[in-house]
């Protein structure tokens, strides 16, 4: 599952904050007591007050037409293979991707800056002198889709409700919010207790604003297929639960002429069709029912994109550079299961995966081995710690136990001989399991002193993984692990991972360009380990990790932030709760040649559905006008 916190995401460390005090959002870039049109973490804003549009926007592009695609990222409880609710901001249920396009937020991100947000629903923001309060003036022109004004009551209601009942990705970052105070009909102040990380406001101010009036008549946390009252550039149109949903462009969208929205959202209709299996979706694309597809299956990209529409040029096959942001794709073992608590067991399981064989024989050489949880970025640890990393480690080591090898070369996943049966790796895995107390028993399976077998159920939600993980499963069985592969439907997968009912599962994350402490805590923080619906799937509870996340939030310079991120990467790679697997440096994209788009694409986020448009001449040529 891909999680992207550019807009709606961003907690532990409160005790540390009380003792040490957090460095607040950069004073130079974000002075207190002034009406600011935007905020940034460490540097000045690229766009001045009153800017007409973002550089990557296309104000002269035509509007209209339908964009039918399969989403490449999603949020919260959203599911790309089915949906049974339109409530996208709670834990339960399966919501359709892009419900977020129906909602506005106080600020919106700039996709060509690493950590800048600009006032959107808010006209401006004022930071208090103690930098614990943020006062937002709501724009007088802001309107819900029914024409009624958006007020401070709606904003205050939104933050109170999301803190109490929202999805953990929304509620956990709001732990330090003590008040959403209404200071006037169009003015609201978010007051924090001082334990918040410095950059948290950048993500928190981007949370969705919901209607107090609508949710007074409707229960916030219920699963519902009634479209909620919203205010964004799109609203829910036709739908068939579990089959398809269409979002219709709001022609009289209140913000269409603002610099934060002008030149974006050109399609009249955005349609998402849901397929439980990738092959059905691929066949729909080949027929032209779907017009944009990003391919994540290397075998398909190498062997199946040779159909007539590719050969005659009606479909374009292209590579687009990945964004300048950290990527994580990894498996985890559930530490809530006692048999996985011993790091040697997790290490042995990691040894059983032969990436080199898999890449050559299944992936067509399309991937690179992942070693880091922040791969492809400046946050990835390499070699031995540099001077700044060593200084931070020394500081942390005075109060926490540091993992063995932390001052050595950054840990790399073991490389195999590519045979698919590397005897050295198998011997190493067997040795680790023996040291952890697992001994050969009946039927060749390992058992502990209580006679229990070392059972492992690998949870998946798509049959394509059966081919990929099959050799991995067989290797685990060869060393005595009683391994099985369990394929469940997408709704079951979401329910089981959200409630931590699994042995082993996978997760993919596209981090924000400047990861925030609150976003990291949802995945790695101790508090999230017991919060169902969080992304701390392994149940990691580690005071050292919490302390490093605190340092990331307290960083008062980009250099300090990067140092703390690399230290976090070093520690997580040594403790082995997560097993990184593979990554790609490009978007593998195919699309019917009916679109116009602006190049180059923005560096930090690429929402094609908001940036591209229908080229009417091209569309008519292909009979899709």
């Amino acid at each position: 599952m891909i999680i992207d916190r550019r807009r709606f995401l961003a907690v532990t460390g409160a005790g540390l904050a009380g003792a040490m005090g957090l460095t607040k959002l950069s004073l130079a870039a974000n002075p207190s007591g002034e009406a600011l049109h935007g905020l940034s973490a460490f540097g000045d804003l690229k766009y001045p007050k009153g800017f007409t549009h973002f550089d990557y926007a296309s104000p002269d592009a035509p509007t209209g037409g339908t964009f039918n695609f399969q989403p490449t990222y999603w949020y919260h409880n959203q599911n790309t293979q089915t949906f049974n609710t339109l409530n996208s901001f709670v834990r339960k249920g399966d919501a359709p991707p892009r419900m977020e396009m129906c909602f506005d937020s106080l600020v919106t991100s700039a996709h060509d800056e690493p950590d800048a947000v600009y006032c959107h629903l808010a006209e401006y923001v004022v930071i208090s002198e103690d930098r614990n309060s943020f006062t937002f003036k709501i724009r007088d022109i802001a309107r819900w889709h029914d024409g009624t004004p958006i007020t401070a009551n709606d904003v205050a209601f939104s933050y109170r409700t999301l803190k109490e009942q929202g999805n953990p990705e929304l509620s956990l970052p709001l732990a330090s919010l003590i008040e959403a105070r209404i200071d006037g009909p169009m003015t609201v102040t978010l007051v924090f207790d001082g334990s918040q990380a410095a950059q948290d406001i950048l993500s928190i101010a981007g949370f969705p604003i919901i209607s107090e009036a609508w949710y007074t008549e409707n229960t916030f946390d219920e699963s519902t297929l009634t479209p909620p009252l919203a205010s964004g550039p799109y609203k829910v149109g036709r739908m068939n639960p579990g089959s398809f949903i269409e979002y219709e462009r709001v022609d009289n969208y209140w913000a269409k002429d603002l610099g934060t929205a002008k030149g974006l959202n050109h399609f009249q209709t955005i349609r998402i069709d849901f397929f439980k299996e990738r092959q059905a979706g691929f066949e729909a694309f080949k027929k032209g029912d779907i017009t944009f597809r990003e391919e994540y299956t290397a075998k398909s990209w190498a062997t199946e994109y040779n159909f007539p529409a590719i050969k005659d040029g009606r479909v374009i096959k292209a590579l687009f550079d990945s964004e300048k942001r950290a990527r994580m794709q990894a498996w985890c073992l559930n530490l809530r299961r006692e048999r996985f608590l011993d790091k040697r067991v997790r290490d042995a399981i990691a040894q059983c995966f032969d990436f080199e064989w898999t890449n050559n024989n299944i992936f067509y050489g399309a991937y690179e081995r992942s070693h880091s949880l922040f791969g492809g970025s400046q946050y990835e640890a390499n070699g031995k710690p540099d001077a700044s990393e060593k200084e931070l480690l020394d500081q942390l080591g005075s109060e926490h136990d540091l993992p063995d090898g932390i001052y050595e070369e950054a840990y790399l996943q073991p490389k195999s001989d590519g045979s698919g049966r590397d005897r050295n790796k198998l011997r190493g895995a067997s040795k680790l399991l023996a040291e952890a107390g697992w001994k050969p028993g009946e039927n060749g399976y390992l058992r502990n002193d209580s006679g229990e077998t070392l059972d492992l159920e690998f949870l998946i939600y798509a049959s394509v993984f059966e081919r990929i993980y099959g050799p991995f499963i067989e290797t685990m069985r060869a060393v005595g692990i009683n391994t099985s592969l369990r394929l469940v439907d997408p709704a079951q997968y979401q329910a089981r991972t959200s409630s931590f009912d699994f042995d082993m599962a996978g997760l993919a994350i596209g981090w924000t360009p400047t990861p925030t402490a609150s976003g990291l805590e949802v995945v790695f923080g101790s508090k999230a380990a017991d919060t169902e619906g969080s992304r701390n799937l392994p149940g990691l509870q580690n005071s050292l990790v919490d302390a490093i996340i605190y340092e990331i939030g307290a960083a008062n310079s980009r250099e300090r932030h990067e140092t703390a991120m690399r230290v976090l990467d070093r520690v997580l790679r040594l403790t082995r709760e997560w097993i990184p697997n593979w990554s790609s440096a490009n978007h593998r994209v195919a699309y019917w040649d009916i679109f116009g788009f602006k190049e180059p694409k923005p560096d930090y986020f690429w929402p094609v559905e908001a940036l591209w448009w229908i080229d009417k001449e091209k569309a008519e040529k292909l009979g899709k006008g």
Side-chain angles (χ1 to χ4, degrees):
M1 183 171 292
I2 298 173
I3 301 175
D4 189 318
R5 294 173 172 81
R6 287 295 289 162
R7 187 171 179 193
F8 284 161
L9 279 190
V11 191
T12 58
L16 284 170
M20 300 171 63
L22 280 170
T23 303
K24 300 305 176 187
L25 202 65
S26 169
L27 181 61
N30 310 276
S32 60
E34 297 182 18
L36 306 173
H37 73 288
L39 302 169
S40 65
F42 306 114
D44 294 330
L45 297 168
K46 173 181 178 180
Y47 296 97
K49 182 179 180 180
F51 70 96
T52 57
H53 60 82
F54 292 123
D55 288 348
Y56 51 81
S58 304
D60 297 327
T63 58
T66 298
F67 184 62
N68 191 326
F69 78 126
Q70 294 179 285
T72 58
Y73 59 89
W74 52 96
Y75 305 90
H76 315 318
N77 66 340
Q78 294 174 0
N79 197 319
T80 59
Q81 294 174 294
T82 188
F83 76 96
N84 49 41
T85 180
L86 295 178
N87 191 340
S88 186
F89 305 127
V90 295
R91 185 178 72 82
K92 61 186 178 182
D94 299 273
R98 301 304 172 270
M99 277 301 297
E100 68 277 2
M101 296 187 78
C102 300
F103 293 85
D104 282 312
S105 49
L106 292 172
V107 302
T108 191
S109 301
H111 306 333
D112 54 354
E113 295 179 85
D115 45 40
V117 296
Y118 292 87
C119 287
H120 181 66
L121 261 177
E123 183 178 346
Y124 59 79
V125 56
V126 178
I127 305 174
S128 65
E129 186 175 350
D130 66 5
R131 308 182 75 74
N132 286 328
S133 298
F134 300 83
T135 298
F136 295 89
K137 166 60 173 64
I138 313 304
R139 295 183 191 271
D140 294 333
I141 61 171
R143 291 291 184 274
W144 297 107
H145 289 158
D146 66 358
T148 57
I150 301 172
T151 68
N153 289 58
D154 294 309
V155 176
F157 172 80
S158 299
Y159 280 95
R160 294 166 186 161
T161 303
L162 292 174
K163 176 174 179 175
E164 295 172 4
Q165 303 177 62
N167 184 285
E169 293 169 357
L170 296 163
S171 64
L172 286 174
L174 293 174
S176 58
L177 179 72
I178 57 176
E179 184 180 10
R181 187 181 69 226
I182 298 171
D183 293 333
M186 304 299 283
T187 306
V188 66
T189 298
L190 302 181
V191 184
F192 297 87
D193 62 13
S195 68
Q196 75 279 4
Q199 291 81 43
D200 280 357
I201 190 61
L202 301 179
S203 55
I204 288 172
F207 283 4
I209 301 304
I210 59 178
S211 166
E212 181 182 34
W214 198 86
Y215 282 107
T216 298
E217 297 180 1
N218 299 271
T219 303
F220 172 75
D221 64 350
E222 72 176 355
S223 291
T224 178
L225 290 169
T226 301
L229 180 62
S231 65
Y234 284 88
K235 61 183 178 181
V236 175
R238 297 191 311 137
M239 64 174 176
N240 183 359
S243 178
F244 77 90
I245 187 168
E246 293 180 348
Y247 299 101
E248 294 296 329
R249 186 173 185 269
V250 178
D251 292 328
N252 61 344
Y253 176 42
W254 71 270
K256 61 184 175 62
D257 293 322
L258 290 182
T260 49
K262 191 171 183 179
L264 303 173
N265 304 309
H266 309 288
F267 297 111
Q268 180 60 39
T269 303
I270 293 175
R271 179 182 170 108
I272 300 171
D273 287 282
F274 294 81
F275 304 94
K276 290 188 177 180
E277 290 295 338
R278 66 157 299 280
Q279 193 61 38
F282 183 54
E283 293 301 323
F285 173 72
K286 288 164 64 175
K287 291 190 297 183
D289 294 337
I290 291 172
T291 50
F292 177 95
R293 176 181 175 86
E294 184 164 356
E295 183 57 68
Y296 289 98
T297 303
K299 180 179 183 291
S300 295
W301 186 252
T303 65
E304 296 184 35
Y305 282 78
N306 54 6
F307 50 93
I310 288 276
K311 294 178 178 179
D312 62 25
R314 287 176 293 155
V315 170
I316 305 297
K317 183 182 178 185
L319 296 176
F320 290 85
D321 290 339
S322 293
E323 288 68 68
K324 296 179 179 178
R325 55 200 303 173
R327 300 182 301 276
M328 166 183 163
Q329 184 165 300
W331 301 304
C332 68
L333 289 149
N334 191 348
L335 304 186
R336 303 168 189 86
R337 312 281 204 250
E338 186 176 353
R339 59 189 179 276
F340 302 129
L341 283 173
D342 193 314
K343 185 168 78 84
R344 292 170 295 190
V345 172
R346 303 194 298 274
D347 234 345
I349 291 168
Q351 292 266 15
C352 291
F353 177 59
D354 192 328
F355 168 77
E356 286 69 28
W357 183 91
T358 303
N359 196 38
N360 290 333
N361 292 274
I362 296 180
F363 292 156
Y364 289 78
Y367 291 106
E368 299 175 354
R369 184 64 158 117
S370 292
H371 300 284
S372 168
L373 300 177
F374 306 103
S377 74
Q378 66 273 37
Y379 308 125
E380 182 173 354
N382 291 291
K384 292 186 176 182
D386 63 21
S388 60
E389 293 172 50
K390 188 176 183 301
E391 180 183 6
L392 179 54
L393 284 167
D394 290 343
Q395 171 191 322
L396 293 165
S398 65
E399 296 185 8
H400 302 274
D401 293 330
L402 300 179
D404 293 340
I406 192 66
Y407 288 102
E408 302 304 318
E409 301 276 334
Y411 179 78
L412 300 177
Q413 295 295 321
K415 186 175 181 178
S416 79
D417 61 10
S419 67
R421 200 79 167 179
D422 188 322
R423 294 184 181 278
N424 287 331
K425 288 185 68 179
L426 293 180
R427 279 194 293 267
S430 295
K431 181 181 178 182
L432 287 166
L433 291 169
E435 291 173 353
W438 294 94
K439 303 170 185 177
E442 291 182 37
N443 302 322
Y445 289 126
L446 297 172
R447 296 179 181 272
N448 60 16
D449 291 339
S450 300
E452 300 167 323
T453 55
L454 179 51
D455 298 336
L456 189 156
E457 181 186 84
F458 202 149
L459 192 67
I460 60 172
Y461 59 86
S463 60
V464 67
F465 294 120
E466 293 178 304
R467 179 178 62 90
I468 296 171
Y469 296 159
F472 186 15
I473 299 295
E474 290 304 316
T475 302
M476 283 192 273
R477 288 174 179 164
V479 298
I481 302 171
N482 183 25
T483 313
S484 60
L485 197 62
R486 174 62 63 89
L487 173 64
V488 298
D489 68 44
Q492 286 180 298
Y493 186 88
Q494 180 123 305
R496 287 189 58 176
T497 53
S498 292
S499 61
F500 310 131
D501 179 20
F502 68 92
D503 291 343
M504 187 172 181
L507 182 68
I509 295 177
W511 296 103
T512 53
T514 305
T516 63
S518 59
L520 293 165
E521 284 165 341
V522 171
V523 182
F524 305 121
S526 295
K527 194 169 185 177
D530 296 323
T531 304
E532 290 194 359
S534 80
R535 300 303 177 187
N536 189 341
L537 298 187
L540 171 60
Q541 292 182 298
N542 186 312
S543 63
L544 173 61
V545 170
D546 293 337
I548 299 170
I549 293 175
Y550 166 80
E551 293 293 337
I552 291 167
N556 59 2
S557 69
R558 195 173 298 282
E559 293 73 22
R560 182 70 174 178
H561 179 271
E562 292 176 2
T563 293
M565 284 291 298
R566 290 195 299 272
V567 168
L568 178 62
D569 187 38
R570 288 183 185 278
V571 169
L572 292 172
R573 286 158 71 171
L574 286 172
T575 55
R576 308 276 215 290
E577 286 81 13
W578 293 93
I579 304 171
N581 45 48
W582 57 80
S583 64
S584 174
N586 303 105
H587 295 281
R588 295 188 295 251
V589 167
Y591 57 92
W592 285 77
D593 192 17
I594 61 174
F595 299 110
F597 53 86
K598 189 173 186 176
E599 294 188 286
K601 60 185 278 295
D603 284 338
Y604 298 104
F605 191 39
W606 192 43
V608 173
E609 60 275 22
L611 299 176
W612 288 22
W613 60 89
I614 296 289
D615 183 311
K616 294 182 180 178
E617 184 176 337
K618 289 182 178 180
E620 288 173 359
K621 184 178 178 181
L622 295 188
K624 294 181 178 292

